[in-house]
Amino acid sequence: MTTTAAHAATRVDNPFVGAGVYVNPEWSAHAAAEPGGSAVSNQPTFVWLDRIAAINGANGGMGLRAHLDAAVQQAAGKPYVFQVVIYDLPGRDCAALASNGELGPTDLPRYKSEFIDPIAAILADPAYANLRIVTTVELDSLPNLVTNAGGTNTSTPNCETMKANGNYINGVGYALSKLGAIPNVYNYVDAGHHGWLGWDSNLQPAIDVIKQAATASGSTLNNVQGFVVNTANYGALHEPNFSVTDTVNGTTVRQSKWVDWNNYVDEASFAKAWRTKAVASGFNSNIGMIIDTSRNGWGGANRPAGPGPKTTVDAYVDGGRIDRRFQTGNWCNQSGAGLGERPKAAPEDGIAAYVWVKPPGESDGASSAVPNDEGKGFDGMCDPTYTGNARNNNNMSGALPNAPLAGHWFSAQFQELVKNAYPALGTGTADTTPPTAPTGLAATATSSSVALTWTASTDNVGVSGYDVYRGGTLIGSTNNTSFTDTGLSAATAYSYTVKAKDAAGNVSAASVALSVTTSSGSTPDTTPPTAPTGLAATTTSSSVALTWNASTDNVGVTGYDVYRGSTLIGSTSSRTFTDTGLSAATAYSYTVKARDAAGNVSAASAALVATTQAGTGTGGAGCTATYKVSSDWGAGFNADVTVTAGNTAIKSWKVTWTFAGNQQVTNLWNGTVSQSGQAVTVNNAGYNGAVAANGSTGFGFGGSYSGSNAVPTLTCTATS
């Protein structure tokens, strides 16, 4: 084995670009022994460290050092990625039983000293310094604290325990701190999947919990290089036959039973939205997103060829969706699933890589109880006769029969995945047939951009994407049949062509060239910017400091106007504004509008009510609360409330308000609620009452109403 004395160079933004990726010889041998498996046995998969014994090799298998040594040999001195799952938290997977672990809820010291410390010591060995080591850190753990603890209807006692004792937060923080200190390690934290966290009430709280963990136990946000979604799950990469913005007879797709008011219908859109929100929440701007595509292909004879009938919204979605599970909460050995896109670096805008985190053919859990020394229990979701629970809306499990323990080889599952692979696998003969050339290239232009569209190409296996050329220069790639070229000069002619490509690397002939001339800029711009979103506030006794997310515009946003009530109180070119000279303990309502150079003004942002602090002689002891409706579908809504301490730390807090209409709180998380008529009182939960000076916490709730849904004025009181 060749060793090197110096660590690899500073981390790159995307470790997968320009690098080979480790092929696990143990998994490769299993795959190659299966019918048709040789077609994918050379694909890279993650090595799973899911118990202490796995570090040195369990049951005669390869340990971590053996895998790393093999990776060094495969690399042969070239840039190379080694992928490993870190998965043995105390009280692991509190919402499921099949993946329970060996460590009890209070075994955080063992997790640190017997699991993380030995792994970090091995990864830091200079012999492996030239590898790019990509970790997936503790699957499912932190999202469970959002959806399966805190009084939701999907809460479990085990998750309540792990939320209360803080060992998920502190364990993940410790792992990130120890592994992040190694210069060639890239930590990707698990971010669930769209069918779990795609609602407003789940997505931002999940990011907030991960941020809390990433800054716990001595860690910082710099120890997070990105996030991984769909790990060991089955969510479709893209749903080509419908989108969340579609309607059927005036009814939104979000109202269908399958989508169930989710904001996302596939993993790619969820991953990109997650990244945007994570960066806005303080994570580094160069973080990357990776997607586990090992089992989300959903190909085969039952794959829909087009949209469903537009008779009802359910018929439209169910007839066109390629994800054929009974419900997106089904996670165990799913019948009908197929291999997805093969691992690939930078496959589309906003995605660092497609990866196979879960090695295809390794079971999600046993179909019936199996005695074992691995800490893994029996979960009904792995039983094909099970009729479900609250976490999958009481649907059938959809699991394959006769499955072994989680992580053990499951030949029937592998053969199912091969049979239903999408893109489909070849017959053993290399695919050398390129897609057809794109047709129907068309464009619309402004003075600085050209928006292109074209008709989809066809391929004997499947089109994986398109490359767009301006003249002879490649300017971008996309999985869609549209692309916008920006930053162009006015009144200038440009020539465009498009080529299609498939998963085997075959590239089509170019489309017929299209010449497009940008406008002179003399045509009036009448398109207003989009309304600002994410309006938030921090307060003192005499001021309110506002922040918001950027608006977009067809030409460019030039500034924002800030309103208190209906009065314009100021304008700014940034996304912050401070309103001063206010009265203490007083509620103020704010909205923000964006404007462009042509004078077009956006619709107003959602109103935000902020209450100034009481202004006591102690310099700001107390708290303030801000209220924001995160989603509203006419008969119900979700709202988020942020509680901020003053200049003195507080031990507990209470928020009260009176609804103006008939709103009713139906469920609330991260607090305890009582409602009498229109009056609502929320007290802190046991774990979030203590807030540091000028720190924040919060709660969210779902509600129902008819008529209007005005934003109420909140009052916050605290003890310090």
Side-chain angles (χ1 to χ4, degrees):
M1 179 179 68
T2 302
T3 61
T4 179
H7 268 296
T10 304
R11 294 186 184 101
V12 296
D13 283 348
N14 186 347
F16 295 93
V17 171
V21 188
Y22 175 61
V23 177
N24 180 346
E26 293 182 311
W27 176 83
S28 180
H30 275 301
E34 296 285 349
S38 60
V40 293
S41 60
N42 64 341
Q43 294 295 337
T45 56
F46 276 65
V47 171
W48 282 57
L49 300 180
D50 61 354
R51 49 186 168 140
I52 294 167
I55 299 172
N56 293 320
N59 302 323
M62 296 171 66
L64 178 57
R65 278 195 181 276
H67 281 296
L68 287 164
D69 290 343
V72 170
Q73 291 181 347
Q74 289 183 20
K78 295 175 289 189
Y80 219 67
V81 172
F82 177 80
Q83 304 173 120
V84 59
V85 172
I86 309 298
Y87 187 42
D88 200 27
L89 265 183
R92 189 179 75 192
D93 205 344
C94 56
L97 301 176
S99 49
N100 283 166
E102 63 189 348
L103 299 180
T106 60
D107 282 340
L108 183 61
R110 288 191 62 198
Y111 175 75
K112 293 179 178 180
S113 64
E114 297 180 41
F115 188 66
I116 294 300
D117 288 353
I119 291 172
I122 294 171
L123 297 184
D125 190 324
Y128 312 125
N130 288 326
L131 295 174
R132 300 175 182 179
I133 300 172
V134 169
T135 70
T136 289
V137 180
E138 295 299 350
L139 315 180
D140 296 344
S141 59
L142 300 177
N144 269 324
L145 299 184
V146 174
T147 61
N148 298 321
T152 66
N153 67 338
T154 56
S155 293
T156 70
N158 289 341
C159 290
E160 297 284 0
T161 295
M162 299 316 300
K163 185 163 189 172
N165 69 22
N167 283 347
Y168 276 7
I169 295 291
N170 290 314
V172 171
Y174 186 81
L176 292 173
S177 177
K178 291 288 287 189
L179 301 175
I182 305 169
N184 57 315
V185 168
Y186 298 75
N187 289 321
Y188 287 78
V189 181
D190 185 69
H193 55 87
H194 88 275
W196 185 5
L197 300 180
W199 292 267
D200 288 336
S201 56
N202 293 344
L203 199 158
Q204 186 62 50
I207 292 173
D208 294 341
V209 166
I210 292 176
K211 183 177 179 181
Q212 182 183 358
T215 53
S217 299
S219 181
T220 71
L221 296 184
N222 290 330
N223 291 321
V224 178
Q225 279 68 56
F227 302 94
V228 56
V229 301
N230 203 47
T231 300
N233 210 268
Y234 298 85
L237 180 64
H238 303 104
E239 280 288 2
N241 297 324
F242 69 95
S243 72
V244 75
T245 58
D246 290 348
T247 59
V248 176
N249 301 324
T251 301
T252 173
V253 155
R254 293 186 66 204
Q255 194 171 328
S256 67
K257 292 179 180 178
W258 173 256
V259 179
D260 191 26
W261 296 106
N262 202 318
N263 288 318
Y264 309 97
V265 298
D266 55 36
E267 293 305 313
S269 62
F270 171 72
K272 294 171 186 178
W274 178 285
R275 183 186 184 281
T276 298
K277 292 178 181 292
V279 171
S281 298
F283 285 91
N284 293 336
S285 60
N286 64 342
I287 58 170
M289 300 298 301
I290 58 178
I291 304 176
D292 186 355
T293 60
S294 60
R295 304 183 300 176
N296 67 348
W298 296 105
N302 294 325
R303 182 182 176 91
K310 283 202 168 185
T311 51
T312 67
V313 70
D314 285 322
Y316 176 66
V317 171
D318 290 339
R321 62 181 170 93
I322 61 169
D323 186 338
R324 295 191 296 278
R325 289 177 290 177
F326 292 114
Q327 208 267 346
T328 55
N330 288 4
W331 53 266
C332 194
N333 300 323
Q334 290 299 286
S335 175
L339 298 169
E341 291 281 353
R342 310 326 168 230
K344 185 178 182 181
E348 58 181 294
D349 294 343
I351 304 301
Y354 300 150
V355 294
W356 282 7
V357 181
K358 179 73 172 183
E362 293 189 3
S363 174
D364 295 323
S367 300
S368 58
V370 177
N372 68 92
D373 62 357
E374 301 175 30
K376 296 169 183 174
F378 167 61
D379 196 301
M381 287 298 290
C382 299
D383 176 0
T385 66
Y386 184 56
T387 56
N389 53 45
R391 290 181 293 283
N392 82 328
N393 287 340
N394 297 106
N395 283 274
M396 295 295 292
S397 70
L400 292 168
N402 305 315
L405 283 173
H408 290 225
W409 190 257
F410 187 13
S411 177
Q413 185 215 60
F414 185 85
Q415 293 174 34
E416 181 95 341
L417 296 173
V418 168
K419 179 180 68 175
N420 296 314
Y422 189 89
L425 302 182
T427 59
T429 302
D431 174 16
T432 59
T433 303
T436 59
T439 59
L441 187 59
T444 56
T446 68
S447 60
S448 60
S449 67
V450 171
L452 300 165
T453 60
W454 56 90
T455 302
S457 297
T458 59
D459 185 67
N460 63 318
V461 177
V463 175
S464 62
Y466 299 88
D467 293 332
V468 181
Y469 293 81
R470 186 198 312 130
T473 302
L474 176 65
I475 58 171
S477 300
T478 177
N479 292 87
N480 303 313
T481 55
S482 61
F483 183 88
T484 299
D485 186 18
T486 58
L488 305 177
S489 299
T492 303
Y494 296 92
S495 178
Y496 294 92
T497 54
V498 179
K499 296 179 182 179
K501 54 190 177 182
D502 62 20
N506 301 303
V507 179
S508 76
S511 67
V512 174
L514 176 68
S515 180
V516 185
T517 301
T518 52
S519 62
S520 64
S522 58
T523 302
D525 173 16
T526 60
T527 303
T530 60
T533 59
L535 186 59
T538 56
T539 65
T540 67
S541 60
S542 62
S543 67
V544 173
L546 300 167
T547 61
W548 56 90
N549 297 330
S551 297
T552 59
D553 186 66
N554 63 318
V555 177
V557 175
T558 59
Y560 299 89
D561 294 331
V562 182
Y563 292 80
R564 186 196 315 128
S566 59
T567 302
L568 176 65
I569 58 171
S571 299
T572 177
S573 58
S574 68
R575 292 182 285 111
T576 61
F577 183 87
T578 300
D579 187 17
T580 58
L582 305 177
S583 300
T586 303
Y588 296 91
S589 178
Y590 294 92
T591 54
V592 179
K593 297 179 181 179
R595 47 186 164 77
D596 61 21
N600 300 304
V601 179
S602 75
S605 67
L608 175 70
V609 176
T611 303
T612 51
Q613 297 180 28
T616 65
T618 60
C623 61
T624 58
T626 58
Y627 179 109
K628 180 175 67 175
V629 175
S630 56
S631 60
D632 191 323
W633 51 93
F637 67 102
N638 287 327
D640 297 314
V641 176
T642 300
V643 176
T644 303
N647 295 335
T648 302
I650 61 176
K651 295 180 179 179
S652 65
W653 49 264
K654 178 174 69 175
V655 178
T656 60
W657 70 86
T658 301
F659 283 124
N662 60 0
Q663 298 97 324
Q664 289 290 317
V665 176
T666 56
N667 65 302
L668 183 138
W669 48 95
N670 297 335
T672 59
V673 62
S674 62
Q675 181 170 359
S676 176
Q678 296 170 302
V680 179
T681 299
V682 178
N683 288 285
N684 60 269
Y687 49 82
N688 64 354
V691 183
N694 301 309
S696 296
T697 186
F699 60 89
F701 66 90
S704 62
Y705 76 98
S706 60
S708 62
N709 186 26
V711 174
T713 299
L714 274 57
T715 299
C716 186
T717 57
T719 60
S720 59

